[in-house]
Amino acid sequence: LLARDITQRHEAEQRLEERERRFRALAEDAAGVVYRIQVQPELEVEYVSPQLLEVLGYQPAEFYVDPALIVRRARPEHREALDLTSDGHVYGEQGTHSYSVRHADGRWLWIEDHHTPEHDEHGRLVAIQGIAFDVSAKWETEKALGEAMRKQEVAAETMHRTARVERTFLQSISHEIRTPMTSALGFARMLHAKRDMIPAEQ
């Protein structure tokens, strides 16, 4: 019985190790940064994939030592949403969250974070896991597109305003010219009608 128990336990450990190996291989082949963070009983980064170095310029070990590093590197207006010790964080429900964070070299990046929470039987958040992507290029493209559209709207409004001024100017000029021209035309017609009464020039 003891031998069978040890054998079963050993097989279970091997299966667990194999599953963990496959998970790590899958995580390390992913395009984004795969992570798992324990929230309760204390904040701890349980796993972060090596892509962290490529995306943010940090070694995974830096996050294992300092789980709040990402919060401090984020823009001030995004920190509360990322801070798992804050009541204002966004990780209580499954979803996608975007935030801006500073790369180790000083550049600002936009990160898109797809996360799934884990809760205990009392509904408390105990862990989160997810995958985060650098979407800075997409944000820059959207920003440039938005700026181009804004400039186009300004140009269109300028054209409409110019057209309105031009119409007003032409209407005003037309009115100012029409009055004397009508008088001159009437006088010319009168002269034409009475041309026989006008003595020829000597």
Side-chain angles (χ1 to χ4, degrees), residues 11-185:
E11 289 174 351
E13 288 173 352
Q14 284 185 319
R15 286 195 298 271
L16 184 61
E17 288 176 3
E18 178 60 20
R19 282 199 297 270
E20 183 177 346
R21 187 191 65 76
R22 281 193 296 233
F23 168 77
R24 286 181 178 273
L26 182 64
E28 291 169 12
D29 284 340
V33 179
V34 178
Y35 65 87
R36 178 178 170 81
I37 301 174
Q38 174 186 286
V39 181
Q40 298 290 343
E42 63 181 358
L43 191 64
E44 178 186 357
V45 176
E46 294 183 344
Y47 176 79
V48 60
S49 64
Q51 288 89 327
L52 182 70
L53 179 62
E54 181 182 347
V55 174
L56 289 179
Y58 294 99
Q59 293 288 350
E62 296 179 74
F63 276 78
Y64 291 129
V65 172
D66 184 4
L69 179 60
I70 192 71
V71 177
R72 292 198 309 278
R73 298 296 291 177
R75 288 190 186 275
E77 61 268 29
H78 297 161
R79 288 175 187 166
E80 185 179 11
L82 295 174
D83 187 355
L84 290 165
T85 64
S86 163
D87 293 334
H89 72 76
V90 296
Y91 292 100
E93 297 180 1
Q94 182 173 352
T96 300
H97 177 61
S98 296
Y99 56 90
S100 183
V101 64
R102 192 185 288 276
H103 189 278
D105 64 12
R107 290 178 292 130
W108 284 103
L109 304 176
W110 277 99
I111 302 297
E112 188 174 88
D113 186 353
H114 303 259
H115 53 269
T116 301
E118 290 183 19
H119 299 89
D120 64 14
E121 64 274 13
H122 304 293
R124 293 182 306 173
L125 180 66
V126 294
I128 60 167
Q129 60 189 20
I131 183 167
F133 300 94
D134 177 5
V135 293
S136 304
K138 183 179 80 169
W139 277 77
E140 289 299 324
T141 300
E142 291 177 355
K143 180 180 176 181
L145 181 60
E147 182 64 19
M149 291 179 66
R150 189 191 67 78
K151 288 181 178 178
Q152 186 176 10
E153 289 171 359
V154 170
E157 176 58 29
T158 300
M159 286 177 59
H160 291 151
R161 193 162 50 244
T162 302
R164 286 196 300 269
V165 170
E166 185 178 307
R167 281 197 304 272
T168 302
F169 175 75
L170 290 176
Q171 288 170 356
S172 176
I173 291 297
S174 175
H175 174 74
E176 293 298 326
I177 292 176
R178 189 163 47 241
T179 300
M181 285 295 292
T182 301
S183 299
L185 184 61

